[in-house]
Amino acid sequence: MKKRVLITREDLPGRGPDRLSGAAEVAVWPGTGKPGPADLAALASGVSGILALGNDPVDGALMDAAGPSLRVVSLASMGFDNVDRAAAAERGIVVTHTPAVLAETTADLAFALILAARRRIGAAGASLASGSWDLFRMRDHLGLDIHGATLGLIGYGQIGRAVARRAHGFGMRVLHHDPYAPDDDLSTSVGLGTLLAESDIVSLHVPLTEETRHLISTRELAAMKPTATLVSTARGGVVDEAALLHAVRTGRLHSAGLDVFEREPMGTELSPLVAEPHVVTLPHIGSATEATRAAMVDLAVDNILDVLADRPARTPLPGSPAVPGAPAEAAGVRA
């Protein structure tokens, strides 16, 4: 008898869903928006695995709705703040994510935000589209240089290192703050205060945890240069958006580039940051290439198939067991 697996969204890219359907009985939530806890709980009874996107809620109540058959929660994402990891650990459930496959693509996007925010590309393009480019003026659309600037990376895992490699092509000095990462040939490890004070661009590459929530707020923004740019492709809750909005509006910070927000998705209730001319905003597209999104789903499926076949998961979360019921190991969380 085939085991049952719940997929929280329809229309996932790649061949992963077909491979999963060949090995398990699959229940798919059929809605078009973001499923709520009750939506998923109604489909979860008796499932052995759950394949979820990075912002679909997987809490203790959903795990209980699945019952004792649940062995693995597999996220098609790098982030994992949507999962109650403590509840999973209590029940001996493996939790996996998809780290390495999206690092290079997300680093591309982070650097695109650096370029767009620093050079004011969005505002310049909007001026052109509005028909207001009627004369060449030396002081129009002045941005700040990227080449030769100092880049500070908060979090120096796979994505942070990929951004550092790109920065060296621009002749940038690179600093990083990460308790798990010493100096290497790309970057120098420094304290957070030094990084904020010396960096022309600060790029965030940490997961959202209780320790990193509002890691960048009023105090940290005040420690940055007024000519600095803040970029985040991490998770929205790492930045205090009200503090960032005030810093940009008062000229305390030159610019920002955001792919993530505290409230996602937004619908028509937009964050006020979206309308700020010195802020470049995107709808969480860091991993959004055809190849990378398909690879994320494929790896999420591989993790489910491995656990259901009594093999260790390929990419369990740090601190999560690789096989159901094994004790969790304490480990630092990287991005």
Side-chain angles (χ1 to χ4, degrees), residues 61-118:
L62 179 58
M63 297 174 197
D64 289 340
S69 61
L70 183 60
R71 306 185 71 196
V72 57
V73 173
S74 184
L75 304 177
S77 70
M78 177 76 178
F80 48 82
D81 48 285
N82 59 313
V83 176
D84 187 334
R85 291 186 291 151
E90 289 172 4
R91 294 159 176 79
I93 297 168
V94 177
V95 183
T96 69
H97 65 156
T98 58
V101 295
L102 55 78
E104 296 295 336
T105 300
T106 304
D108 286 346
L109 196 280
F111 222 87
L113 285 171
I114 291 170
L115 292 165
R118 204 80 179 142

Side-chain angles (χ1 to χ4, degrees), residues 182-209:
D183 293 0
D184 63 14
D185 58 345
L186 294 172
S187 178
T188 302
S189 176
V190 296
L192 180 60
T194 298
L195 183 145
L196 294 172
E198 296 188 9
S199 296
D200 300 299
I201 300 128
V202 173
S203 188
L204 304 179
H205 303 285
V206 295
L208 179 60
T209 66

Side-chain angles (χ1 to χ4, degrees), residues 213-253:
R213 186 174 296 278
H214 285 189
L215 176 66
I216 302 299
S217 191
T218 302
R219 182 177 64 179
E220 291 75 26
L221 292 165
M224 294 171 64
K225 299 176 181 180
T227 54
T229 298
L230 178 70
V231 168
S232 182
T233 53
R235 280 293 187 267
V238 176
V239 176
D240 180 341
E241 290 183 7
L244 176 60
L245 181 65
H246 179 74
V248 172
R249 284 182 171 175
T250 60
R252 184 64 198 76
L253 193 71

Side-chain angles (χ1 to χ4, degrees), residues 294-314:
M296 292 165 64
V297 175
D298 280 340
L299 179 53
V301 167
D302 287 337
N303 277 314
I304 290 177
L305 294 177
D306 283 343
V307 173
L308 296 190
D310 297 320
R311 298 187 295 266
R314 302 184 187 199

